Amino acid sequence: MTDSTKRPQQVFTLAVEVGRKSGDGLPKGATGAGLLLYATGVDEAEAVREAVAVLKLADLAPLDVTGYGSLAEREAAGEEIDAEERALMARALAENAVIVAQMEPFFGEDRPAKG
């Protein structure tokens, strides 16, 4: 980056769909899983890259990522964000980490259709 000013890290909310991979730790019979996570980055693209890299290190197979914006963007859109979610976001920012808030395995027909 040629600019001498450093952009601050933000926390972004991401939904990630993962497929199956050997050693992924998903339950037997699952076809994949949906994850809700909070990832840091100077922008959403960086947060997505970091999240995908961390998931791959955890032997997961990311297939699709949907971004829901930063905390400020979500608040500006009128979303209500509860204390538990804010605490997870603060932890992600403090630790410069990817925090998985929820993981829901998919089983056969339970898997949501791609829109």
Side-chain angles (χ1 to χ4, degrees), residues 48-115:
V48 167
R49 286 190 302 272
E50 292 296 322
V52 167
V54 167
L55 293 173
K56 286 180 176 180
L57 285 173
D59 286 330
L60 292 171
L63 300 174
D64 188 57
V65 180
T66 302
Y68 290 95
S70 67
L71 173 60
E73 290 167 340
R74 291 180 59 202
E75 287 175 325
E79 287 188 49
E80 289 189 27
I81 301 164
D82 66 29
E84 182 180 348
E85 190 173 3
R86 286 179 187 279
L88 290 171
M89 290 177 168
R91 180 177 166 205
L93 188 59
E95 297 176 9
N96 191 26
V98 174
I99 304 289
V100 177
Q102 184 176 355
M103 180 182 231
E104 186 71 33
F106 300 145
F107 295 94
E109 297 300 316
D110 294 338
R111 187 174 187 165
K114 286 206 171 199

Side-chain angles (χ1 to χ4, degrees), residues 2 6 10 13 21 28 30-31 35 38-41 47 51 55-56 59 70 73 76 78 82 85 87-88 93:
T2 58
K6 185 175 178 181
Q10 299 180 70
T13 303
K21 181 179 174 186
K28 184 176 181 178
T31 57
L35 288 76
Y38 305 108
T40 58
L55 293 173
K56 286 180 176 180
D59 286 330
S70 67
E73 290 167 340
D82 66 29
E85 190 173 3
L88 290 171
L93 188 59

Side-chain angles (χ1 to χ4, degrees), residues 6-29:
K6 185 175 178 181
R7 297 189 310 179
Q9 293 281 313
Q10 299 180 70
V11 177
F12 293 87
T13 303
L14 306 173
V16 181
E17 184 178 334
V18 297
R20 292 307 312 250
K21 181 179 174 186
S22 178
D24 62 15
L26 294 176
K28 184 176 181 178

